[in-house]
């Protein structure tokens, strides 16, 4: 059985982030043939600047992100909602992964977007913005993968998402399209 590697990027930089906890719950509930790898903090990656995106000068953190994305079968972006859109850290990661234009690590890469936010819609505006950005960057956006958990500040105040039966059930539903996309890309 082939293992599908899912590189997971968490847009929140906060140590006690609900989105990082959601990513952990996703990793814990992955099927046996899916290896969910949560990338380190996006906060250490410098803002994209074409002047430093030169062979031999690419910052180590950005180069490591590109290498991890290139090695992964699929990407999963887990985003909070900041002022109705995605956080700058996630947008910056997308910018690094989109270059060089047409040949970046996102080119043709099956990519899904999920998340949780305080509002009543669970961050769907941010998720839509992330889907738009990665699609423009060349990723194959998996629109059928949906998971937007509302009320994160209250819902996860004392409960980790891995212990929320409703969230766990929703998490289980994201793996079939992720795996199918990887198999389709490999064919």
């Amino acid at each position: 059985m082939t293992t599908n590697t899912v590189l997971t990027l968490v847009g929140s930089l906060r140590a006690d982030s609900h989105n990082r906890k959601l990513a952990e719950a996703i990793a814990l509930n992955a099927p046996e043939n899916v290896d969910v790898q949560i990338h380190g903090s996006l906060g250490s990656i410098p803002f994209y600047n074409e002047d430093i995106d030169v062979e031999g000068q690419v910052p180590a953190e950005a180069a490591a992100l590109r290498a991890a994305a290139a090695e992964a079968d699929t990407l999963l972006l887990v985003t909070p909602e900041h002022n109705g859109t995605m956080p700058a850290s996630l947008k910056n990661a997308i910018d690094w992964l989109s270059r060089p234009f047409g040949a970046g690590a996102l080119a043709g890469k099956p990519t899904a977007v999920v998340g949780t936010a305080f509002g009543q819609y669970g961050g769907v505006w941010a998720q839509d913005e992330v889907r738009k950005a990665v699609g423009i960057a060349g990723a194959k956006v998996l629109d059928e993968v949906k998971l937007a958990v509302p009320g994160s500040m209250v819902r996860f105040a004392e409960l980790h998402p891995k212990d929320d039966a409703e969230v766990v059930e929703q998490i289980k539903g994201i793996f079939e399209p992720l795996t199918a996309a990887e198999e389709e890309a490999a064919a």
Side-chain angles (χ1 to χ4, degrees):
M1 178 182 296
T2 305
T3 299
N4 179 4
T5 302
V6 179
L7 178 65
T8 304
L9 306 180
V10 179
S12 178
L13 304 179
R14 193 168 61 89
D16 198 33
S17 161
H18 297 126
N19 280 281
R20 177 153 302 277
K21 290 177 181 179
L22 181 61
E24 292 166 358
I26 290 168
L28 288 170
N29 285 283
E32 192 174 295
N33 65 326
V34 177
D35 178 21
V36 176
Q37 299 174 354
I38 302 172
H39 191 73
S41 175
L42 300 179
S44 62
I45 301 170
F47 280 111
Y48 184 81
N49 178 342
E50 199 169 5
D51 292 341
I52 61 173
D53 190 8
V54 177
E55 191 172 330
Q57 296 180 25
V58 175
E61 299 88 349
L65 175 65
R66 283 178 170 169
E71 289 292 317
D73 297 306
T74 56
L75 293 181
L76 179 63
L77 309 181
V78 184
T79 187
E81 190 166 87
H82 291 182
N83 298 316
T85 191
M86 74 180 96
S89 60
L90 189 54
K91 175 62 170 75
N92 186 50
I94 293 167
D95 290 344
W96 278 105
L97 293 173
S98 71
R99 308 306 196 285
F101 181 74
L106 288 175
K109 185 74 66 175
T111 303
V113 182
V114 300
T116 184
F118 178 67
Q120 65 181 341
Y121 302 112
V124 295
W125 288 351
Q127 291 181 33
D128 287 345
E129 291 292 319
V130 173
R131 286 184 191 96
K132 175 183 168 186
V134 296
I136 290 170
K140 179 183 182 225
V141 179
L142 304 176
D143 288 318
E144 66 274 20
V145 176
K146 303 279 185 183
L147 176 59
V149 184
S152 62
M153 297 295 284
V154 175
R155 186 171 194 153
F156 302 131
E158 296 181 21
L159 181 69
H160 192 288
K162 70 179 172 57
D163 299 319
D164 185 315
E166 181 183 358
V167 171
V168 168
E169 197 58 36
Q170 291 174 358
I171 285 170
K172 290 177 181 177
I174 72 172
F175 289 109
E176 186 176 328
L178 282 174
T179 305
E182 186 276 328
E183 290 169 358
E184 182 180 306

